[in-house]
């Protein structure tokens, strides 16, 4: 079976790693895969590091479609991926997550009458101000096979007209990566020089438009955080999108430690040993749930409701005055304890490959 795997941005690399490893672990060549990097994230800290640390083989091709507006990037990826598929026809295109590359490549594949499988299908925030929600809706409207992380996602897909035969509840590939790498997490170089102590610092990540696009709101949010963390250091690995908007000089507080985006092993070492994480990321709410680390999400909604109903995550919203009461709850020692959602067990990629082989067999 010929399989084209698409990846474009940081969270994609973390999701494809276990899928590629599961293919390489097959002791025959039943799946002949080709890895296409769209180039959506191109800088070393957002891309190359993940290939090295997570042992992902080099992509077969990089379409170099970085930068531009949402429309420019979608268009560039579509043009380049159409060319790629015409030159390298395949049986199935596998897309993961909810980034621009996911949607753009799904559209191109379908228009060339190629089947599409979507990993992490069916999750919904129902918030169309998020570009990711549009990417999810478009991809799930046209894909042929859906691999899901939760039963809620299954239901969302059914509400959208997908049939039971198309939906495979397999668990969470991001957690496969977490479990596979947990023993190799690496202390960041600054950990000792900043005199960080286990459970005595907070990790902060912010990159969504609702939090970072308006500099005054971003400053207010960060000030509210550092003023209410009981003097604990707040480590802020700054996303390139956020770094474009705010500079270190705009944020003057000795407890705020801005660092470059970290590699996967260092970032998750930091998370695993932290008191709590404050974030607007989706993937991080899943990882903190599995590591049982309190997570405060600065969003009004989530496409991953199980991280709140089962896990350690709480939605704090984007209004900065909500931060203080949430941090008071954290420091009172009464943050909820989470448990691990069904099938988030490190075996998801294996299940995906089994299903793909069955699908392929039925079509032979
Ligand atoms: N991550 C990382 N280094 C960082 C920040 C995040 O390796 O400095 C990882 C994190 O562990 C998670 C993923 O990047 O696996 C989340 O990516 P992001 O927040 O960009 O995307 P989202 O999950 O919101 O789509």
């Amino acid at each position: 079976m010929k399989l084209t795997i698409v990846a474009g941005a940081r969270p994609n690399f973390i999701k494809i790693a276990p899928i590629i490893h599961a293919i390489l672990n097959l002791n025959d060549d039943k799946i002949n895969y080709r890895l296409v990097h769209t180039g959506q994230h191109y800088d070393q800290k957002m891309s190359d590091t993940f290939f090295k640390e997570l042992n992902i083989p080099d992509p077969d091709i990089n379409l170099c479609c970085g930068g531009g507006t949402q429309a420019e990037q979608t268009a560039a990826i579509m043009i380049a991926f159409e060319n790629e598929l015409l030159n390298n026809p395949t049986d199935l295109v596998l897309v993961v997550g909810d980034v621009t590359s996911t949607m753009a490549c799904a559209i191109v594949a379908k228009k060339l009458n190629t089947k599409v499988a979507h990993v992490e299908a069916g999750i919904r925030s129902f918030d169309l101000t998020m570009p990711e929600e549009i990417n999810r809706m478009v991809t799930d409207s046209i894909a042929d096979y859906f691999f899901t992380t939760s039963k809620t996602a299954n239901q969302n897909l059914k509400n959208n007209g997908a049939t039971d035969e198309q939906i495979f509840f397999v668990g969470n590939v991001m957690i496969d990566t977490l479990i596979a790498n947990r023993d190799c997490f690496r202390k960041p170089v600054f950990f000792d020089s900043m005199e960080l102590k286990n459970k005595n610092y907070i990790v902060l990540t912010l990159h969504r438009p609702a939090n970072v696009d308006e500099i005054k709101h971003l400053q207010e949010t960060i000030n509210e955080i550092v003023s209410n963390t009981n003097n604990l250091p707040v480590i802020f690995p700054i996303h390139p999108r956020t770094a474009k908007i705010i500079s270190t000089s705009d944020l003057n507080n000795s407890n705020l430690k801005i660092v470059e985006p970290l590699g996967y092993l260092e970032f998750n070492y930091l998370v695993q040993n932290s008191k709590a994480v404050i974030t607007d990321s989706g993937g991080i709410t899943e990882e903190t749930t599995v590591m049982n680390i309190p997570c405060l999400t600065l969003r009004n909604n989530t496409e991953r409701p199980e991280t709140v109903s089962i896990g350690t995550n709480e939605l704090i919203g984007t209004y900065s005055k909500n931060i203080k009461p949430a941090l008071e709850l954290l420091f009172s020692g009464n943050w909820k304890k989470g448990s691990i959602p069904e099938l988030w067990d490190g075996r998801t990629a294996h299940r995906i490959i089994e299903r793909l082989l069955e699908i392929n067999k039925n079509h032979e």
Side-chain angles (χ1 to χ4, degrees), residues 10-11 14 50 174 207-208 237 261-262 264 267-268 281-283 287:
R10 176 169 71 185
I14 295 155
F50 294 90
M174 212 160 199
H207 70 283
R208 302 224 176 266
L262 296 170
Y264 183 82
F267 180 74
N268 283 292
S281 158
E287 292 162 345

Side-chain angles (χ1 to χ4, degrees), residues 112-325:
L112 291 175
N113 285 327
T114 303
K115 299 256 187 247
V116 172
H118 183 201
V119 173
E120 203 186 83
I123 62 174
R124 292 288 184 277
S125 65
F126 302 101
D127 174 0
L128 271 84
T129 64
M130 290 175 72
E132 293 88 348
E133 183 69 359
I134 298 170
N135 298 339
R136 294 179 197 120
M137 290 169 69
V138 173
T139 307
D140 288 339
S141 305
I142 57 178
D144 299 275
Y145 308 112
F146 305 98
F147 293 103
T148 64
T149 50
S150 70
K151 289 184 178 153
T152 311
N154 291 9
Q155 192 53 51
N156 291 335
L157 289 165
K158 283 186 208 165
N159 295 348
N160 201 33
T163 62
D164 283 333
E165 292 67 39
Q166 294 177 287
I167 303 172
F168 307 95
F169 172 38
V170 285
N172 192 327
V173 276
M174 212 160 199
I175 301 309
D176 283 17
T177 298
L178 188 76
I179 292 174
N181 288 282
R182 220 170 168 171
D183 292 342
C184 317
F185 289 170
R186 208 169 46 224
K187 195 195 270 194
V189 277
F190 55 76
F191 198 91
D192 291 333
S193 58
M194 285 184 189
E195 299 180 2
L196 301 182
K197 303 265 173 331
N198 286 0
K199 304 294 165 198
N200 248 332
Y201 61 89
I202 305 283
V203 179
L204 172 65
T205 83
L206 292 173
H207 70 283
R208 302 224 176 266
N211 284 316
V212 307
D213 277 5
E214 220 223 285
I215 185 160
K216 199 165 160 282
H217 175 62
L218 178 57
Q219 272 173 321
E220 247 171 51
T221 303
I222 293 176
N223 285 338
E224 198 62 23
I225 294 170
V226 282
S227 316
N228 289 289
T229 41
N230 284 1
N231 267 330
L232 294 190
V234 176
I235 318 301
F236 185 21
I238 193 161
H239 193 284
R241 193 166 187 285
T242 312
K244 273 193 199 146
I245 292 158
I246 204 156
S247 68
T248 319
S249 55
D250 298 321
L251 298 164
N252 229 336
N253 188 302
S254 59
N255 280 336
L256 181 70
K257 315 282 184 195
I258 298 183
V259 297
E260 300 262 315
L262 296 170
Y264 183 82
L265 302 176
E266 292 187 323
F267 180 74
N268 283 292
Y269 179 97
L270 205 59
V271 169
Q272 190 170 39
N273 293 291
S274 68
K275 170 93 182 155
V277 175
I278 304 176
T279 190
D280 59 9
S281 158
I284 293 171
T285 64
E286 299 179 333
E287 292 162 345
T288 46
T289 280
V290 172
M291 291 191 271
N292 204 10
I293 300 295
C295 182
L296 290 68
T297 292
L298 303 188
R299 288 179 49 192
N300 298 318
N301 48 55
T302 175
E303 59 291 329
R304 294 158 161 96
E306 61 285 351
T307 62
V308 177
S309 59
I310 302 175
T312 52
N313 184 23
E314 286 290 3
L315 292 179
I316 308 305
T318 54
Y319 179 53
S320 57
K321 294 292 167 220
N322 293 348
I323 292 171
K324 186 175 183 202

Side-chain angles (χ1 to χ4, degrees), residues 6 12 40 95-107 118 139:
V6 174
N12 283 179
Q40 189 183 331
V95 295
V96 298
D98 54 17
V99 301
T100 305
S101 305
T102 312
M103 173 188 72
C105 294
I107 297 173
H118 183 201
T139 307

Side-chain angles (χ1 to χ4, degrees), residues 4 6 36 63 77-85 93 105 108-109:
T4 295
V6 174
V36 177
L63 306 179
I77 296 171
M78 286 181 71
I79 294 166
F81 190 61
E82 184 179 55
N83 199 31
E84 153 65 22
L85 272 193
V93 170
C105 294
V108 169

